[in-house]
Amino acid sequence: MEASVSEDGLNPWFVTGLVEGEGCFSVSFSFRRRLKIGIETRPSFSISLHKRDLPLLQRLREFFGCGSVRYSRSDRTYKYEVRSVKDLVTKVLPHFEEYPLQGSKRDDFENFALICKKVRANLHMNRRHLREIIELAYQMNPSGKRRHKKEDLLKVLGEVVV
């Protein structure tokens, strides 16, 4: 499969390889009383690099045509991040469907893509679908940090009895 270099000079396979090593597909959940279902679902795609690679992060932003670059105090890196579900579904997912990940991050991406498509279709506002989204999200990034336990989220959905 031949890949043409984009206007910003990045080869799409290079982008996929960079994400395999330094990228993250994640889904965070927050309790929100104002929401009928009580839980906010936020998918996010990011790449964190040292300050010396800030120009590369800016080129990635141009490559995908969405997202933003910011400083992350928690790990003292710069982060390119896409949080818009529309941009995730229309710009980020298609890239990785055409230039697929080859390593362990592939499974996380598969779950992430399914979650993004469900959120884009507003299925996260339905208890049954939100439960599926939570289950998929908690299969991703097993060594990652989580703000909430899966059981606490399911409790809000009325699915876990204490």
Side-chain angles (χ1 to χ4, degrees):
M1 181 186 297
E2 186 153 330
S4 59
V5 175
S6 65
E7 287 179 22
D8 50 37
L10 292 179
N11 180 302
W13 284 112
F14 167 79
V15 172
T16 295
L18 180 64
V19 171
E20 187 77 62
E22 305 297 332
C24 181
F25 300 100
S26 65
V27 181
S28 62
F29 299 96
S30 299
F31 297 116
R32 298 280 186 253
R33 287 196 176 120
R34 63 178 171 77
L35 295 177
K36 185 177 178 184
I37 202 143
I39 297 172
E40 181 181 32
T41 305
R42 288 190 321 263
S44 150
F45 161 66
S46 64
I47 302 171
S48 297
L49 296 172
H50 187 272
K51 180 171 84 173
R52 68 180 167 261
D53 288 317
L54 183 56
L56 176 56
L57 291 175
Q58 292 163 335
R59 288 172 65 200
L60 283 165
R61 194 213 162 292
E62 291 171 24
F63 177 86
F64 284 106
C66 61
S68 60
V69 176
R70 66 177 176 83
Y71 179 70
S72 175
R73 284 196 307 254
S74 63
D75 57 4
R76 297 194 320 257
T77 63
Y78 281 82
K79 184 177 287 205
Y80 165 64
E81 186 170 36
V82 180
R83 296 181 119 187
S84 159
V85 175
K86 178 183 177 191
D87 288 341
L88 288 168
V89 171
T90 62
K91 298 177 180 178
V92 176
L93 299 185
H95 168 80
F96 294 103
E97 288 164 353
E98 187 169 349
Y99 303 95
L101 295 152
Q102 303 297 308
S104 61
K105 211 162 273 182
R106 177 187 283 203
D107 291 340
D108 285 349
F109 171 76
E110 302 278 332
N111 285 351
F112 181 76
L114 192 53
I115 290 168
C116 286
K117 290 172 184 175
K118 285 178 176 279
V119 171
R120 174 76 190 235
N122 282 322
L123 296 177
H124 64 296
M125 305 307 272
N126 169 291
R127 288 186 188 285
R128 182 174 61 82
H129 288 285
L130 181 54
R131 183 188 202 299
E132 291 170 9
I133 289 169
I134 291 168
E135 292 291 345
L136 288 168
Y138 276 76
Q139 290 171 21
M140 297 168 52
N141 309 316
S143 60
K145 295 180 281 185
R146 300 247 181 235
R147 183 176 295 158
H148 303 292
K149 292 180 185 171
K150 180 169 78 169
E151 294 74 27
D152 293 338
L153 294 167
L154 295 176
K155 243 186 257 183
V156 170
L157 295 180
E159 302 209 8
V160 172
V161 180
V162 190

